[in-house]
Amino acid sequence: MEISLTEKLRCGAAKKNPKIAESFLELTISASINELLIKALTIISYFEIKANCCIIILISINKKLIKTSKPMDQLESQIAKIQLSNSKSAKTYVYTVAEKASGSDAELFIVAELPLLDPSAYESCEKICLAITSSFRRAFQRPINDNSFETAISQINEELGKLTSTGQTYWVGKLNCIIGLKYNNLFSIATSGKVAAYLFRGGEFTDISCSSPKGHPLKTFESFSTGKIRLDDVIILSTTQLFNFISLDRAKTILENENFLTATQTIIHLLKDNTLSGISFASIFNLQVPAGETSDQEVINLENYVIETPALPKRILSKLTALAKTVFALDKSTRTPQTQLPKISLFKRIKNFGGGARGALAGSHKILGSFRQTFNSGKDRLNLQNFKTFTPQKKFFFIAALLLLVAFAINLGVTLHFKKIKQVQAKYTGQIKDSQKLIADAESSLLYKDEAGAKNFLQKAESTLPDINKLDKPNTDLYSRVFLDLQKVTQEMEKIIQVHATDISALSQAENLIKLPGILGVQTNSQIISYDLTNGKVEDNRLKIQGKIIRSVALSGAVAVIYNGESLKIWNWQDGSTGAAFTQNVPGKDNTVGLAIYSTNNRVYLLDKKLGKIFSFTTAGNKQIAKPTVAAISQNDDFSKALDLAIDGSIYVLFENGISKYHNGQKTAFGSPALLEPIGHKGKIYTQSDFKYLYILDSQNNRVVVLNKQGGIVETLVNPELNKPSDFAVDEKNKTIYVLNNGSLIKLDMP
């Protein structure tokens, strides 16, 4: 890395690599280079006071000669990602990421390690690493600027702090992690805990880690470094276990004397031969090459190499099989291709294997030709007449051979069948894990109050999950855990609360409640059964009326407005009398939605689905209905699909998938509630001018959704007693909701 003027500069090379420091002090150099170094030291002395971060100046020196490379404006990466572990006996959890950012050409790198003292801690470790990854990815969904990496580190610290505040402290003081960003010819790095981060340049290793001696839960990554990288630089990001099995000197020799592809393969074989059961570690090797000059055949992509403890010594055939898999990279069970990173082609692998595969292919053609000729000759000679002339010994061997052939065919068919099943289940496993990552991203979005983003991630997670009926036992267990996580995050996003419910009265089967002061009732066959909220009595003769009540709304005193499917009427519910029918601008039964009152001007409102208009009517001192006017006309809404309406000065129209708000006849902005399962095709909405919230009875999903008047979710109320709700009444002051549910009146106690 070269000097970066955007961060604090400190000659870390002198502290981290004494050999370089000694060569630096003894250096005899030309006047032009001397002038350059004097300027660099002047910059260092200035920024030592002004800045607040640590970066290491890495100068590659070979005795008394400075080796310089012209920095490239853009460099490409060749990546080798190596992850070695035995999942059955591992004592540490390791995690790696090497991918392109979604919003730019930047490359993101993460290497993390956590202790795994017992298998139950696996999910906790994974959750911490996924939280770091989702925050890091989110920071680079936008174009990059000079502060992008610092912002990303701050967001990661904040998210880890929030996890700690929720009681998830398993990782505190135990996390060893490297976070790296490469953009053009700049590389930024932040580390925490004990890690191995090195730059290999000019035949020398230099430590580029910058971990603080003691971490803090709210500031896990306290400092970071940024600097320039050059052509042919190799950056190694790893857990410390790597150099317990291969020394720095040995790694130096390998990287100097072999090309990158061969060097990384050599390191893999050394690790495979020397690592022990229970040891896990992860490494990323990153070679800088000229942009646009690298072909696919020259790039290595060796990922997630897993060591399993062998039960028996390998035989010659097993070793040959393992060698073939290594050379051709045919074992895909442990590989996860990197997004947008080039891979080595199969043609190149075949070409480089021994003397090539041409001889083997030519030989196979000869063998197949000989087999075909023998088969045709045998087919001509074999017939039933010849079989009869066989000796008993020949017949026995012929039948035995035939049975063996049949057994082989059956075995081959069974093998192919189970191989196909295994491939399908592996695909399902990938889908479930993709869903798990999306759920982690949703959880991160909720921490930052991004409910819309969380909803989007959860919808993708839900659609990604496969059908549980198609899964085998391991995938079913994994599915169950991920589905529980999905429910948990959904409950957090929708603020779902199970409230206390009391079945207070049996009324009768009906769709709509008659809501009067202190009385709730239903009409069945022209008879009204009512429930008195003050004394708890059920009566069937207290309320009387001639005709039907499809919808009703109470005015002041003992007066209400009713809609009977054809007209509006004033109804005195104490004596049972009704006023004259009013039909002007009153739509028919199939085209009418809602009936609501705005108490401030004593007008009632209903929606005409056919005309796409909302009409309001005066009640003329609670005595007669008159003066219909248009309160609102549909604006980009399909009023024919409206479910209900409510009014508090603004008019709220409920639709299957959301709510539209109209004020003074104009449609105004209203938020979309972050509900994973949207409002169903049947429901009611209610509020008043003195109410703080909007209340929605979602009959299809058996819940009551409480919203603020900007569209945000306040809470979602559920109870198993709600199985067929059709209408409701809300007493916000006393925190009570009465629900007409399958012929019964149920009382819900709001929290």
Side-chain angles (χ1 to χ4, degrees):
M1 295 185 185
E2 296 176 311
I3 299 172
S4 168
L5 303 184
T6 60
E7 307 293 344
K8 176 182 177 182
L9 300 177
R10 187 173 66 190
C11 191
K15 293 185 177 182
K16 296 181 177 286
N17 197 326
K19 185 175 180 181
I20 292 180
E22 181 181 356
S23 300
F24 181 87
L25 295 174
E26 296 176 357
L27 188 64
T28 304
I29 52 181
S30 66
S32 60
I33 297 178
N34 186 45
E35 182 180 355
L36 176 63
L37 290 175
I38 290 172
K39 290 182 179 180
L41 292 173
T42 303
I43 293 170
I44 293 167
S45 63
Y46 174 76
F47 279 96
E48 183 69 32
I49 299 172
K50 298 291 182 183
N52 58 2
C53 279
C54 167
I55 189 169
I56 302 167
I57 302 171
L58 303 169
I59 304 176
S60 181
I61 300 175
N62 185 7
K63 294 184 179 179
K64 295 186 178 182
L65 178 65
I66 293 182
K67 182 179 179 181
T68 61
S69 299
K70 183 179 179 180
M72 307 291 293
D73 290 336
Q74 289 187 337
L75 297 173
E76 288 184 352
S77 295
Q78 290 185 0
I79 305 294
K81 190 176 78 169
I82 309 170
Q83 187 168 319
L84 291 89
S85 66
N86 184 327
S87 58
K88 296 179 181 178
S89 58
K91 296 180 181 178
T92 55
Y93 172 86
V94 292
Y95 178 87
T96 55
V97 170
E99 64 185 25
K100 285 281 187 72
S102 61
S104 68
D105 291 331
E107 297 172 25
L108 313 180
F109 303 96
I110 298 175
V111 177
E113 178 185 53
L114 279 163
L116 193 62
L117 301 180
D118 98 59
S120 64
Y122 183 92
E123 291 186 7
S124 299
C125 296
E126 187 176 41
K127 187 172 185 179
I128 295 299
C129 294
L130 289 175
I132 293 172
T133 304
S134 61
S135 292
F136 198 31
R137 287 171 177 162
R138 187 169 55 251
F140 293 97
Q141 291 176 349
R142 301 177 295 274
I144 291 181
N145 56 47
D146 292 343
N147 299 320
S148 292
F149 187 71
E150 183 176 4
T151 302
I153 297 302
S154 298
Q155 291 178 356
I156 292 171
N157 283 334
E158 184 177 351
E159 182 149 341
L160 291 175
K162 289 179 179 178
L163 289 174
T164 304
S165 66
T166 61
Q168 301 180 50
T169 58
Y170 172 81
W171 60 276
V172 177
K174 302 173 185 176
L175 175 65
N176 302 315
C177 184
I178 302 172
I179 297 175
L181 169 71
K182 179 194 168 189
Y183 184 62
N184 293 335
N185 63 336
L186 291 176
F187 190 84
S188 302
I189 184 172
T191 61
S192 177
K194 296 180 180 180
V195 294
Y198 289 93
L199 173 75
F200 183 71
R201 175 188 291 172
E204 294 289 346
F205 278 106
T206 304
D207 189 348
I208 59 172
S209 61
C210 53
S211 301
S212 300
K214 293 184 179 180
H216 188 279
L218 299 179
K219 200 171 184 182
T220 305
F221 299 92
E222 294 194 50
S223 59
F224 67 92
S225 303
T226 299
K228 291 183 179 179
I229 48 178
R230 300 179 183 176
L231 184 66
D232 296 329
D233 283 352
V234 177
I235 297 172
I236 301 175
L237 311 175
S238 177
T239 57
T240 56
Q241 284 283 3
L242 172 67
F243 294 107
N244 291 340
F245 297 96
I246 178 171
S247 66
L248 280 174
D249 289 338
R250 184 70 181 276
K252 172 183 174 181
T253 302
I254 294 170
L255 291 172
E256 281 185 323
N257 299 328
E258 300 178 5
N259 63 47
F260 187 65
L261 173 62
T262 307
T264 49
Q265 287 179 329
T266 301
I267 290 172
I268 287 175
H269 285 296
L270 287 173
L271 295 173
K272 179 184 174 184
D273 293 338
N274 293 304
T275 50
L276 304 174
S277 175
I279 300 298
S280 299
F281 57 91
S283 304
I284 295 175
F285 289 73
N286 185 349
L287 172 68
Q288 314 309 314
V289 296
E293 296 184 12
T294 302
S295 63
D296 289 351
Q297 291 81 4
E298 295 174 340
V299 180
I300 182 172
N301 191 10
L302 303 173
E303 300 149 352
N304 299 338
Y305 187 91
V306 179
I307 289 183
E308 298 289 350
T309 306
L312 295 172
K314 290 187 176 179
R315 298 182 182 274
I316 295 176
L317 182 59
S318 301
K319 291 183 178 180
L320 290 175
T321 303
L323 178 61
K325 286 183 177 181
T326 302
V327 174
F328 289 99
L330 296 178
D331 185 4
K332 299 185 181 295
S333 61
T334 57
R335 300 186 62 212
T336 308
Q338 293 302 305
T339 305
Q340 300 180 12
L341 293 179
K343 306 174 184 177
I344 192 165
S345 69
L346 179 61
F347 174 76
K348 185 66 176 179
R349 297 181 192 276
I350 295 174
K351 185 177 178 182
N352 293 336
F353 178 50
R358 295 178 183 174
L361 291 174
S364 66
H365 282 302
K366 292 180 180 179
I367 294 170
L368 289 173
S370 176
F371 177 76
R372 189 181 300 110
Q373 183 178 1
T374 303
F375 176 77
N376 291 333
S377 176
K379 184 177 70 173
D380 294 337
R381 295 179 182 179
L382 181 61
N383 56 57
L384 184 60
Q385 188 63 33
N386 290 338
F387 180 75
K388 291 179 179 179
T389 63
F390 284 178
T391 64
Q393 292 85 354
K394 284 186 177 180
K395 289 181 180 179
F396 172 79
F397 283 112
F398 177 78
I399 294 172
L402 185 61
L403 292 174
L404 182 62
L405 181 62
V406 171
F408 173 76
I410 293 173
N411 185 56
L412 180 61
V414 171
T415 301
L416 292 175
H417 173 70
F418 281 105
K419 181 179 179 182
K420 183 178 180 180
I421 291 176
K422 186 176 180 180
Q423 290 173 341
V424 170
Q425 292 300 323
K427 176 185 175 182
Y428 290 151
T429 302
Q431 290 177 343
I432 297 171
K433 290 188 175 180
D434 288 343
S435 181
Q436 189 176 36
K437 292 177 182 177
L438 289 167
I439 293 169
D441 289 338
E443 197 168 17
S444 299
S445 296
L446 285 179
L447 289 174
Y448 290 97
K449 308 299 182 185
D450 182 8
E451 293 180 353
K455 177 183 175 181
N456 183 47
F457 282 125
L458 288 178
Q459 287 175 331
K460 289 181 180 178
E462 188 177 42
S463 64
T464 301
L465 282 174
D467 184 355
I468 190 172
N469 296 319
K470 298 179 180 179
L471 306 180
D472 60 9
K473 181 64 167 61
N475 272 337
T476 300
D477 294 340
L478 178 60
Y479 179 100
S480 298
R481 294 197 299 271
V482 173
F483 188 74
L484 287 175
D485 288 342
L486 177 64
Q487 287 183 316
K488 176 186 173 184
V489 180
T490 300
Q491 183 172 354
E492 184 180 350
M493 180 183 71
E494 296 183 352
K495 300 178 177 64
I496 297 174
I497 302 172
Q498 182 160 320
V499 294
H500 180 263
T502 306
D503 190 340
I504 59 176
S505 175
L507 297 177
S508 66
Q509 294 293 336
E511 290 294 317
N512 299 294
L513 273 174
I514 299 171
K515 300 168 232 181
L516 304 172
I519 300 174
L520 296 174
V522 296
Q523 186 184 46
T524 304
N525 298 325
S526 299
Q527 184 179 15
I528 299 175
I529 301 174
S530 62
Y531 177 82
D532 193 317
L533 297 174
T534 58
N535 58 29
K537 290 183 179 181
V538 178
E539 301 173 288
D540 59 5
N541 58 1
R542 180 174 180 179
L543 301 176
K544 297 180 181 180
I545 190 172
Q546 293 295 322
K548 292 182 180 180
I549 299 178
I550 294 178
R551 295 182 179 85
S552 65
V553 61
L555 302 177
S556 59
V559 179
V561 174
I562 64 168
Y563 171 74
N564 61 11
E566 298 175 351
S567 62
L568 295 174
K569 292 182 179 182
I570 297 291
W571 173 42
N572 187 311
W573 49 269
Q574 282 188 339
D575 60 23
S577 62
T578 58
F582 187 85
T583 59
Q584 184 182 349
N585 293 117
V586 177
K589 177 181 176 182
D590 294 335
N591 292 317
T592 301
V593 168
L595 183 64
I597 183 169
Y598 183 43
S599 58
T600 302
N601 58 18
N602 229 29
R603 297 181 73 92
V604 293
Y605 295 74
L606 57 76
L607 183 148
D608 189 326
K609 295 166 64 174
K610 184 177 180 180
L611 297 179
K613 297 179 180 180
I614 299 173
F615 291 97
S616 73
F617 305 82
T618 64
T619 57
N622 296 351
K623 294 181 179 180
Q624 63 180 12
I625 299 169
K627 297 181 181 178
T629 60
V630 177
I633 299 176
S634 172
Q635 298 173 22
N636 301 320
D637 287 322
D638 186 355
F639 273 6
S640 68
K641 296 181 180 179
L643 303 177
D644 198 12
L645 64 83
I647 184 167
D648 65 353
S650 297
I651 301 173
Y652 303 89
V653 182
L654 178 67
F655 294 92
E656 183 172 343
N657 293 317
I659 300 168
S660 292
K661 180 179 179 180
Y662 287 81
H663 188 76
N664 292 331
Q666 299 298 316
K667 186 175 180 179
T668 60
F670 191 77
S672 176
L675 295 168
L676 190 61
E677 189 69 38
I679 302 298
H681 64 272
K682 184 179 180 182
K684 301 280 187 178
I685 185 170
Y686 187 74
T687 192
Q688 293 179 182
S689 57
D690 58 344
F691 272 28
K692 185 177 181 181
Y693 300 125
L694 279 170
Y695 298 84
I696 301 168
L697 177 66
D698 184 358
S699 300
Q700 182 176 330
N701 295 301
N702 300 319
R703 61 187 177 180
V704 176
V705 181
V706 184
L707 306 177
N708 60 36
K709 293 190 177 179
Q710 290 74 46
I713 297 177
V714 177
E715 57 200 13
T716 302
L717 311 179
V718 297
N719 188 282
E721 294 289 330
L722 296 180
N723 50 37
K724 199 177 178 182
S726 58
D727 202 353
F728 73 144
V730 180
D731 183 355
E732 188 175 75
K733 181 179 179 181
N734 295 311
K735 292 186 174 295
T736 304
I737 299 175
Y738 298 93
V739 181
L740 180 61
N741 181 78
N742 199 22
S744 295
L745 191 62
I746 293 177
K747 184 176 81 168
L748 301 180
D749 298 323
M750 289 189 286

